[in-house]
Amino acid sequence: MTRISVVVATCNRAELLTESLDSLLGQTRPPDQVLVVDDGSTDDTPKVLSGYGGRIQVLRCENGGKARALNLAMEHVNGDYLWIFDDDDIAFPDALERLEAVIRDRPDIDIVYSSYASQLDDDPRIHHPLPEVEEGDVFRRNLVQNFLQQQGMLVRVSCYREVGPFDDDLIRSQDFDMAQRLTRRFRAAALPGAPTFVYRQHRGHRGLVGDRFHHEERDRRWMDYDQVIVRRLLDTLDLRELLPQARVSGDLRPGDLGPGELGPGDRRLALLQRSAILMRRGLFDEGFDSLEAALEADPSSPLGPDDEEIWTAALADSYSRRVVFEDLAVDPPSAARLRRVLGRGAAGRQLRRLFGRQLTPIIRWFLGQGSLRRTAELSCLYLRVVVR
């Protein structure tokens, strides 16, 4: 019989922890082990945990951050599969039953992942459906869009053992780092349909003692650590790992490489993907370097559907709106360089038109919201980059 462990790392979330643990213990397919690590809480967390008696296992440690707490928990996990959950989120009652069903039906799969619903305080819940991604492309696509949420992933424990511990130098984005390490080496499949958990967000201040910040700064704080992870990871990647699975010859598992050198078209495609990853993380200089190299790799051929899909996926959501378009709008030197790069050949001009098509509805949205300053900034960006 398959054993499933659940791990929750918590610190000073007593007012939210009960609802989270109750949602895990009330699953239609109960977990075989629920292990909670109290990471140096100074509130009523110990009292809350004591109320569960033998239904959970509790470990306590001095405050050292989420990664260190999870590494401690891994020493005590006794299941075949692991579900790592957050102390302030809520699992839907059938979440584990649905996740396990995919693993049971697909013995070739090491990881199953799901969509989620988000909720800011008492606002209505919003479902965030998964993008359509081929199983062999999860690593590459998540490196761009970060759609894998640890609370929605069921993973073989042996996979965690093989890739090694969480990086405790990362105060944030430990889950993104681990998701990339896992999906680079192991095959992942999506659980279609309804979300498995509610990702609860909170107004006001958050973060560690001595490093508090308002919730509206959250994405920026996470991006600082995402940049570290992306730079480190891209330094280790073969360009073929940035190609869609269908473009790599052979029947490969994630992390394997096809034979042979890249032709001009594949090299351009891989470098376009690299540039999109870097730009979405606000690393404009490195992103423009990769974009220039991409256009030089195959200067005469027009872009194909795969090339356009890469930029469409990278620029199509609200995260891109904030990190790419809004940041470029207030960074004239970077916008000027992007304009120069996108003036190179037929492929560059195609990308410039695509950039304009993605930017136009954002300008209209801000205009409809009455944000004249942001509308003006983004309109100037359109003029700088798209209009020649």
Side-chain angles (χ1 to χ4, degrees):
M1 178 180 173
T2 299
R3 285 184 56 83
I4 297 177
S5 296
V6 179
V7 166
V8 178
T10 188
C11 181
N12 292 338
R13 288 274 178 80
E15 75 282 2
L16 299 169
L17 183 58
T18 296
E19 195 171 2
S20 180
L21 290 178
D22 286 350
S23 75
L24 296 172
L25 293 167
Q27 290 291 301
T28 55
R29 191 291 191 199
D32 301 287
Q33 179 190 30
V34 177
L35 182 58
V36 182
V37 183
D38 181 357
D39 185 30
S41 295
T42 57
D43 63 358
D44 288 336
T45 293
K47 181 179 179 180
V48 169
L49 295 176
S50 67
Y52 287 93
R55 300 173 69 195
I56 64 174
Q57 293 175 245
V58 178
L59 301 172
R60 290 188 172 87
C61 58
E62 293 184 4
N63 183 255
K66 183 179 179 181
R68 192 172 301 176
L70 291 176
N71 288 336
L72 174 62
M74 290 299 299
E75 299 174 12
H76 300 268
V77 167
N78 59 30
D80 304 299
Y81 289 87
L82 178 59
W83 186 17
I84 297 177
F85 208 74
D86 274 4
D87 59 355
D88 57 342
D89 293 335
I90 303 170
F92 288 111
D94 62 348
L96 191 52
E97 180 180 356
R98 294 173 59 217
L99 290 166
E100 185 186 27
V102 178
I103 294 290
R104 185 175 57 249
D105 294 342
R106 294 283 309 276
D108 59 315
I109 292 299
D110 301 299
I111 303 161
V112 57
Y113 63 94
S114 67
S115 65
Y116 69 98
S118 66
Q119 185 173 26
L120 179 59
D121 292 333
D122 295 325
D123 292 350
R125 293 175 178 176
I126 301 172
H127 180 211
H128 301 265
L130 293 169
E132 294 186 9
V133 179
E134 297 292 331
E135 287 181 5
D137 281 334
V138 174
F139 166 77
R140 177 183 66 90
R141 288 286 298 276
N142 194 63
L143 190 53
V144 181
Q145 293 173 284
N146 196 13
F147 54 84
L148 295 178
Q149 301 293 321
Q150 198 163 55
Q151 310 91 303
M153 296 172 62
L154 186 63
V155 183
R156 289 186 196 270
V157 172
S158 60
C159 297
Y160 279 110
R161 308 281 191 215
E162 187 168 333
V163 300
F166 287 85
D167 185 349
D168 58 17
D169 287 333
L170 296 172
I171 298 174
R172 301 179 183 89
S173 297
Q174 309 96 335
D175 50 352
F176 173 57
D177 176 60
M178 181 57 74
Q180 293 312 119
R181 289 156 61 189
L182 288 167
T183 56
R184 189 179 182 186
R185 298 176 68 168
F186 303 105
R187 188 169 292 277
L191 170 64
T196 59
F197 72 98
V198 179
Y199 173 44
R200 293 200 287 186
Q201 304 174 57
H202 322 286
R203 292 181 174 89
H205 288 78
R206 57 189 301 155
L208 302 176
V209 175
D211 185 27
R212 304 288 286 169
F213 56 92
H214 196 269
H215 81 95
E216 293 179 352
E217 298 179 56
R218 182 195 58 186
D219 286 346
R220 298 292 177 179
R221 295 299 186 105
W222 257 256
M223 189 173 71
D224 290 342
Y225 287 88
D226 284 358
Q227 289 179 349
V228 173
I229 295 165
V230 163
R231 280 191 171 115
R232 182 171 62 191
L233 187 55
L234 288 178
D235 284 345
T236 71
L237 290 182
D238 187 290
L239 279 179
R240 284 170 289 179
E241 294 181 82
L242 296 177
L243 289 173
Q245 187 73 9
R247 296 282 287 261
V248 182
S249 59
D251 183 16
L252 305 177
R253 286 179 60 84
D256 295 337
L257 296 177
E261 295 294 326
L262 293 180
D266 281 343
R267 180 172 175 79
R268 181 177 71 184
L269 183 62
L271 287 166
L272 280 175
Q273 183 67 87
R274 195 175 194 277
S275 73
I277 292 166
L278 289 163
M279 288 176 62
R280 263 185 68 96
R281 302 299 172 188
L283 298 170
F284 293 133
D285 286 340
E286 296 99 317
F288 296 158
D289 289 344
S290 292
L291 183 56
E292 284 185 310
L295 296 177
E296 291 169 359
D298 193 7
S300 57
S301 301
L303 298 180
D306 286 339
D307 302 282
E308 291 200 348
E309 185 273 337
I310 279 175
W311 261 46
T312 299
L315 301 177
D317 58 20
S318 60
Y319 185 90
S320 294
R321 186 190 76 195
R322 294 191 301 272
V323 175
V324 179
F325 294 116
E326 294 183 35
D327 282 5
L328 278 174
V330 294
D331 185 358
S334 292
R337 185 181 177 194
L338 180 60
R339 173 175 174 158
R340 291 194 299 272
V341 173
L342 296 184
R344 299 188 176 190
R349 290 190 290 273
Q350 279 182 266
L351 286 177
R352 189 175 69 229
R353 289 193 292 271
L354 180 59
F355 185 89
R357 289 201 299 270
Q358 300 288 82
L359 178 54
T360 298
I362 297 172
I363 296 173
R364 290 173 178 162
W365 184 85
F366 276 111
L367 182 61
Q369 296 295 308
S371 178
L372 299 183
R373 179 179 64 85
R374 190 66 78 188
T375 300
E377 290 172 346
L378 291 167
S379 297
C380 288
L381 177 65
Y382 188 96
L383 294 172
R384 289 191 190 106
V385 175
V386 181
V387 178
R388 299 188 64 80

